Amino acid sequence: EKDAGPAPVTPEALAIAASFKTDLDTFYDLVDGRLVAIHDMLNTIAMANNKPPLPPPAIAYLCELTEEQGKNGGPDGPQVTKDQLVSAFAKMIPPGDSKEVFEEKVIQHVRDASTRRQFANTVMPQLKPKLMALHGKVGGDADKLYAWFLDLLPPEAKDSFPKEAFMGMIMRTPPNTTVIDAAKFLSGVHNNMDENDSIEKISGVIDKHMAL
């Protein structure tokens, strides 16, 4: 049976999504249109609305990723266009939802993600040499990098963050991977930072693990 392609987006939904184009463009520019960062943000939105995280094919479908875009990703994965991003958000609007509901349920999270990303883009250049040194010291060992990551979490969050979640959601690697590629490690840290992750805090935990 042939796939009929994406369901048509209603003009109403497209108009609502387009009315937030400034918010979507800001996020787009901060993440360079990278599908992996868009995926992280959409998963945050899904979980905030008590929905399961979206698998990669669902994201590719929402953004109507072309075969060519899929192939030309390079180490950071595929890039989509600003129009594809707006159209993906239009597909997420249930019929009858108002602009206000969409802003509260979805766009507010986009704004938060932009704030986090702006912060991450500022601190990442300073942290990169230290993160690379840590990755080099442990030889990319997944267990050791997971132990480092757990040390960044508040005590009450440690028990609820199993290694599978670290591998799948943060590092985007199969759960049985034993060695995490350096580029994946850097990108995983970059994509999952928030404003609590100060340079001092992350550097301190890196130093502790460099001394182990």
Side-chain angles (χ1 to χ4, degrees):
E1 194 160 295
K2 228 174 136 242
D3 182 22
V9 174
T10 66
E12 292 81 3
L14 205 48
I16 290 176
S19 73
F20 293 108
K21 188 168 164 48
T22 312
D23 293 299
L24 295 173
D25 282 357
T26 299
F27 181 76
Y28 180 97
D29 290 336
L30 285 166
V31 301
D32 215 14
R34 294 288 171 198
L35 195 65
V36 58
I38 292 166
H39 188 174
D40 281 330
M41 178 199 34
L42 290 175
N43 275 347
T44 304
I45 292 170
M47 292 192 284
N49 289 292
N50 299 316
K51 298 207 165 66
L54 296 144
I59 300 290
Y61 173 84
L62 271 176
C63 291
E64 292 179 44
L65 193 71
T66 66
E67 206 172 323
E68 206 167 310
Q69 283 175 320
K71 282 200 195 109
N72 298 338
D76 296 320
Q79 267 173 308
V80 298
T81 65
K82 286 184 173 175
D83 287 341
Q84 279 174 305
L85 185 61
V86 172
S87 163
F89 274 82
K91 291 190 191 76
M92 293 162 57
I93 303 174
D97 256 17
S98 68
K99 182 177 164 174
E100 290 70 26
V101 168
F102 181 65
E103 181 170 18
E104 184 194 335
K105 284 201 318 206
V106 175
I107 296 298
Q108 199 45 58
H109 294 289
V110 177
R111 291 173 186 149
D112 292 346
S114 291
T115 306
R116 283 196 301 275
R117 188 66 185 208
Q118 221 155 359
F119 172 81
N121 288 359
T122 311
V123 300
M124 201 61 194
Q126 298 172 67
L127 283 170
K128 189 176 172 182
K130 296 200 81 154
L131 289 164
M132 286 304 288
L134 173 69
H135 184 277
K137 177 178 189 285
V138 302
D141 182 290
D143 287 329
K144 290 181 176 167
L145 292 175
Y146 171 59
W148 168 78
F149 175 78
L150 278 185
D151 265 354
L152 290 170
L153 297 178
E156 65 278 7
K158 289 185 186 184
D159 293 342
S160 58
F161 217 99
K163 187 179 168 201
E164 295 72 50
F166 169 73
M167 298 298 281
M169 285 168 60
I170 310 286
M171 292 294 136
R172 302 196 164 277
T173 54
N176 53 355
T177 305
T178 52
V179 175
I180 296 171
D181 174 69
K184 284 233 182 227
F185 175 60
L186 287 178
S187 146
V189 173
H190 192 166
N191 287 339
N192 290 282
M193 266 187 184
D194 64 30
E195 301 86 309
N196 300 320
D197 296 318
S198 66
I199 293 175
E200 296 72 31
K201 173 185 158 183
I202 293 183
S203 295
V205 181
I206 292 175
D207 292 344
K208 176 186 156 187
H209 282 256
M210 289 295 282
L212 292 178

